[in-house]
Amino acid sequence: MPTILLVEDNELNRDMLSRRLVRKGYDVLIAEDGAKGLSAAAEGKPDLILMDMSLPVVDGWEATRRLKAEPRTRSIPVIALTAHAMSSDREKAVSVGCDDYDTKPVELERLLAKIERLLQAGSS
């Protein structure tokens, strides 16, 4: 069963998305800010990270940069989650190391397809 680290500061979003992921068969680790997300990634070694980009303490942009710079976590796929739907946001997400990008509000089936694609790519 793959483990997903959800780094999300909004309690409602965190609760809703984590419950839906668990129902789909994933183990879910949760972090409320970017600093806790970095620690959880290093300790929990998740198979994939869903990273909100607007986070307290360390934002998602910087947290992703640090994850991708660290040998122990650089291979973990990261999907950026943001309410910003501008093409420049997608480009920025890719430039900091995100493997994919999705907008909020989350459309679960679209996000699940991205998760599955990245998990399959990582296992092959």
Side-chain angles (χ1 to χ4, degrees), residues 7-10 32 51-56 58-61 81-84 104:
V7 187
E8 169 65 67
D9 63 323
N10 181 288
E32 300 86 21
M51 179 74 72
D52 180 20
M53 302 318 275
S54 299
L55 292 167
V58 176
D59 69 26
W61 310 107
L81 296 178
T82 180
H84 306 290
K104 293 179 184 179

Side-chain angles (χ1 to χ4, degrees), residues 11 34 76 93:
E11 187 177 356
I76 302 170

Side-chain angles (χ1 to χ4, degrees), residues 31-81:
E32 300 86 21
D33 63 54
K36 289 178 182 170
L38 290 166
S39 296
E43 293 168 19
K45 299 194 176 43
D47 298 291
L48 184 135
I49 299 170
L50 296 175
M51 179 74 72
D52 180 20
M53 302 318 275
S54 299
L55 292 167
V57 186
V58 176
D59 69 26
W61 310 107
E62 181 60 24
T64 301
R65 272 190 210 93
R66 292 183 194 178
L67 287 168
K68 294 301 183 170
E70 171 63 45
R72 293 180 304 154
T73 56
R74 88 167 32 118
S75 64
I76 302 170
V78 177
I79 299 176
L81 296 178

Side-chain angles (χ1 to χ4, degrees), residues 17-124:
L17 190 50
S18 65
R19 283 188 291 115
R20 293 170 88 183
L21 290 167
V22 166
R23 277 200 302 270
K24 292 293 182 178
Y26 296 102
D27 283 331
V28 179
L29 304 173
I30 294 176
E32 300 86 21
D33 63 54
K36 289 178 182 170
L38 290 166
S39 296
E43 293 168 19
K45 299 194 176 43
D47 298 291
L48 184 135
I49 299 170
L50 296 175
M51 179 74 72
D52 180 20
M53 302 318 275
S54 299
L55 292 167
V57 186
V58 176
D59 69 26
W61 310 107
E62 181 60 24
T64 301
R65 272 190 210 93
R66 292 183 194 178
L67 287 168
K68 294 301 183 170
E70 171 63 45
R72 293 180 304 154
T73 56
R74 88 167 32 118
S75 64
I76 302 170
V78 177
I79 299 176
L81 296 178
T82 180
H84 306 290
M86 307 285 287
S87 63
S88 60
D89 292 313
R90 174 181 289 280
E91 291 163 11
K92 184 176 179 184
V94 170
S95 76
V96 300
C98 292
D99 299 273
D100 209 332
Y101 171 95
D102 207 67
T103 56
K104 293 179 184 179
V106 169
E107 182 185 306
L108 188 63
E109 293 308 314
R110 181 184 64 211
L111 181 59
L112 287 172
K114 291 178 181 191
I115 290 169
E116 281 303 310
R117 182 181 55 77
L118 287 169
L119 289 175
Q120 288 172 2
S123 66
S124 53

